[in-house]
Amino acid sequence: MKNIIIASTSTLHEGSYLEYLLPTLQIHFKNCKSILFIPYARPGGISHDEYTAKAAQAFSKINITVKGIHEFENAEDAIKNAEGIFTGGGNTFLLVTKLYYHNVMQILSETVKNGTPYLGTSAGSNICGLSMQTTNDMPIIYPPSFQTLGLIPFNLNPHYLDADLQSKHMGETRETRIKEFHAFNSIPVLGLREGSWLEVNGDKITLKGNLKARLFLQNQTPQELETESDLSNLK
Amino acid sequence: MKNIIIASTSTLHEGSYLEYLLPTLQIHFKNCKSILFIPYARPGGISHDEYTAKAAQAFSKINITVKGIHEFENAEDAIKNAEGIFTGGGNTFLLVTKLYYHNVMQILSETVKNGTPYLGTSAGSNICGLSMQTTNDMPIIYPPSFQTLGLIPFNLNPHYLDADLQSKHMGETRETRIKEFHAFNSIPVLGLREGSWLEVNGDKITLKGNLKARLFLQNQTPQELETESDLSNLK
């Protein structure tokens, strides 16, 4: 039975890393003494070791130890044997490239579908959807495919940002970008604002946090969804 | 001899399409009665016909007619025979995918290197660099490669946006994204603010417009470049 938390961001403004999620994570990972961290997305280009140390520091507050997947000889075995798994944010193109390079995209999907508790933030949440095609990240590396874990039957846009109506910048708004995605793809896209997350328990998907989320369906006006909305039938 | 204008944006805040560039374009395309428009980037998902009509309306103000590449039976011949070429903005992933699909990436590069006057705006400027890896766009379609025209020996970030120091949003700033690119790539990146453009005459590359541009070199502090800076030796 799936047991997943998919968060828009790791960090809220003026908060520390994972701080706002710790009470939730304490319950989510209650049966884990140790979790596996996947640091492949390397935010700002930091090393796997530095990134793993950052995750370990946050999880030490709830008495869980953290080991990076790069510390294991066999990445596939590390995933299969993990008590819980956390994939951190950073660059989604890099994350997806490395998951394919280490040949673990499929085993990660199967392991999480079989019930290993999973946490994703930002890029680590993007990969929970059907494809990474609604990421905000820069294509700094060419992945072998845009297909991702498919843990939920739709796509996500983490760090969802409403258009700034005062802005004089002429670059595309987030909404325009998602509209361009829907010119070619019929997959629903959920814009998750910072502070929102999805809780997946078995086939039940629930919007959590204090904020609304914005749902984009092909050829339809976007909708605002209240917290605690049930998204189990969205596809 | 190369004769190219590479603009950050087609449109300034409160301006109409191409308005601020028209005096420059009148000189740039002075020997052209008609130009070829490449509408493949389809901003907001609009059709090739709609987008071509928009370009034609702007160019009619300087007495130049516009024909879309999709109106020709043979896209390669259309490029070879063009008096001038304009590639409009929109989604860079889509633009690059279509250029490869129609097998014209190489012929477009050769034709412009041989002297056919070229204008790019936004996505149409992105493709002038060595790769499209510093685009801001969403990966709505999977291109066969990220390699682009290589008309200049570096990469561009059009619609360059300075970090908003007041923002409470935790998504990556543009500068952070480019830093992530430089964790894996040594290609220089020029952040072109809206209202700036590059003028390429033969091997000479000059920054134009009223604004400074921001230059990112791997492992170096970013630099601000004054307008009229000579970028001919940047690589």
Side-chain angles (χ1 to χ4, degrees):
Chain A
M1 194 180 110
K2 284 188 279 194
N3 183 16
I4 310 172
I5 288 174
I6 301 173
S8 174
T9 185
S10 61
T11 314
L12 291 181
H13 184 68
E14 294 186 336
S16 67
Y17 188 65
L18 293 177
E19 188 179 8
Y20 79 103
L21 277 174
L22 283 180
T24 306
L25 298 182
Q26 199 156 22
I27 300 164
H28 185 63
F29 289 121
K30 64 180 183 297
N31 295 325
C32 306
K33 286 185 182 160
S34 176
I35 61 167
L36 178 72
F37 181 56
I38 300 179
Y40 292 153
R42 298 179 56 185
I46 64 170
S47 72
H48 292 152
D49 280 341
E50 287 172 297
Y51 199 14
T52 303
K54 185 175 175 177
Q57 194 192 15
F59 273 93
S60 72
K61 295 173 190 166
I62 53 172
N63 299 312
I64 293 175
T65 59
V66 171
K67 198 165 171 183
I69 193 168
H70 63 291
E71 299 172 53
F72 290 84
E73 209 151 298
N74 185 309
E76 199 173 329
D77 286 345
I79 288 171
K80 280 187 200 161
N81 298 329
E83 294 175 52
I85 300 170
F86 168 32
T87 305
N91 186 288
T92 308
F93 289 87
L94 181 58
L95 171 59
V96 168
T97 301
K98 293 296 169 190
L99 288 171
Y100 279 113
Y101 175 81
H102 293 290
N103 203 22
V104 292
M105 186 67 88
Q106 199 183 335
I107 192 73
L108 179 58
S109 175
E110 287 168 9
T111 301
V112 179
K113 283 176 182 167
N114 285 334
T116 301
Y118 177 90
L119 165 67
T121 61
S122 193
S125 293
N126 250 324
I127 60 169
C128 296
L130 293 171
S131 83
M132 56 164 285
Q133 289 178 267
T134 48
T135 176
N136 310 308
D137 297 336
M138 215 171 238
I140 63 172
I141 192 165
Y142 185 71
S145 167
F146 284 163
Q147 299 306 302
T148 49
L149 299 172
L151 303 176
I152 51 174
F154 50 90
N155 268 12
L156 292 170
N157 180 254
H159 298 284
Y160 182 76
L161 194 58
D162 293 287
D164 174 0
L165 300 176
Q166 305 304 314
S167 172
K168 294 180 177 175
H169 189 71
M170 301 299 286
E172 292 89 346
T173 64
R174 194 67 59 81
E175 188 158 326
T176 300
R177 294 171 196 278
I178 295 170
K179 191 179 165 196
E180 288 177 354
F181 173 76
H182 275 147
F184 300 93
N185 302 275
S186 60
I187 300 171
V189 180
L190 186 69
L192 268 185
R193 296 184 176 93
E194 293 177 347
S196 288
W197 68 92
L198 296 181
E199 197 178 88
V200 184
N201 281 303
D203 291 329
K204 187 157 189 210
I205 308 173
T206 312
L207 177 64
K208 294 285 182 179
N210 296 324
L211 305 170
K212 293 179 187 177
R214 194 160 177 85
L215 176 62
F216 300 87
L217 300 173
Q218 192 180 35
N219 301 325
Q220 293 188 34
T221 307
Q223 305 163 39
E224 288 288 320
L225 302 182
E226 300 289 336
T227 184
E228 298 295 336
S229 286
D230 184 342
L231 297 164
S232 314
N233 295 316
L234 179 61
K235 58 189 170 191
Chain B
M1 193 180 111
K2 284 188 278 193
N3 184 16
I4 310 173
I5 289 175
I6 301 172
S8 174
T9 185
S10 61
T11 313
L12 292 181
H13 184 68
E14 294 186 336
S16 67
Y17 189 65
L18 293 177
E19 188 179 9
Y20 79 103
L21 276 174
L22 283 179
T24 305
L25 298 181
Q26 197 156 24
I27 299 164
H28 185 63
F29 289 121
K30 63 180 183 297
N31 296 323
C32 306
K33 285 185 182 159
S34 176
I35 60 166
L36 178 72
F37 181 57
I38 300 178
Y40 293 153
R42 298 180 55 186
I46 64 169
S47 72
H48 292 152
D49 280 341
E50 286 171 298
Y51 198 14
T52 303
K54 185 176 175 175
Q57 193 191 16
F59 273 93
S60 72
K61 295 172 191 165
I62 54 171
N63 299 310
I64 293 174
T65 60
V66 170
K67 198 165 170 182
I69 194 168
H70 63 291
E71 299 172 54
F72 291 83
E73 208 151 297
N74 185 309
E76 198 172 330
D77 287 344
I79 288 172
K80 280 186 199 161
N81 298 328
E83 293 175 52
I85 300 170
F86 168 33
T87 306
N91 187 288
T92 308
F93 289 87
L94 181 58
L95 171 59
V96 167
T97 301
K98 292 296 168 189
L99 288 171
Y100 279 113
Y101 176 81
H102 293 290
N103 202 25
V104 292
M105 185 67 88
Q106 199 182 336
I107 191 74
L108 179 58
S109 175
E110 288 169 8
T111 302
V112 178
K113 283 176 181 165
N114 285 334
T116 301
Y118 177 91
L119 165 68
T121 60
S122 193
S125 293
N126 251 323
I127 60 169
C128 295
L130 294 171
S131 82
M132 56 163 285
Q133 290 178 267
T134 48
T135 176
N136 310 309
D137 297 335
M138 215 171 237
I140 62 172
I141 191 165
Y142 185 70
S145 167
F146 284 162
Q147 299 305 302
T148 49
L149 298 172
L151 303 176
I152 52 175
F154 51 88
N155 268 12
L156 292 170
N157 181 253
H159 299 283
Y160 182 76
L161 195 59
D162 294 287
D164 175 359
L165 301 175
Q166 306 305 313
S167 173
K168 294 179 177 174
H169 189 71
M170 300 300 285
E172 292 89 346
T173 64
R174 194 68 60 81
E175 189 158 324
T176 300
R177 294 172 196 277
I178 295 170
K179 191 179 166 197
E180 289 177 354
F181 173 76
H182 275 149
F184 301 93
N185 303 275
S186 60
I187 300 171
V189 179
L190 186 69
L192 268 185
R193 296 184 176 94
E194 294 177 346
S196 287
W197 67 94
L198 295 180
E199 197 178 87
V200 184
N201 281 303
D203 291 330
K204 188 157 190 208
I205 307 174
T206 313
L207 177 63
K208 293 287 182 178
N210 295 324
L211 304 170
K212 292 179 187 176
R214 195 161 178 86
L215 176 63
F216 300 87
L217 300 174
Q218 192 181 35
N219 301 326
Q220 293 188 34
T221 307
Q223 305 163 38
E224 289 288 319
L225 302 182
E226 300 288 337
T227 185
E228 298 295 335
S229 287
D230 184 343
L231 297 164
S232 314
N233 295 317
L234 178 61
K235 57 188 170 189

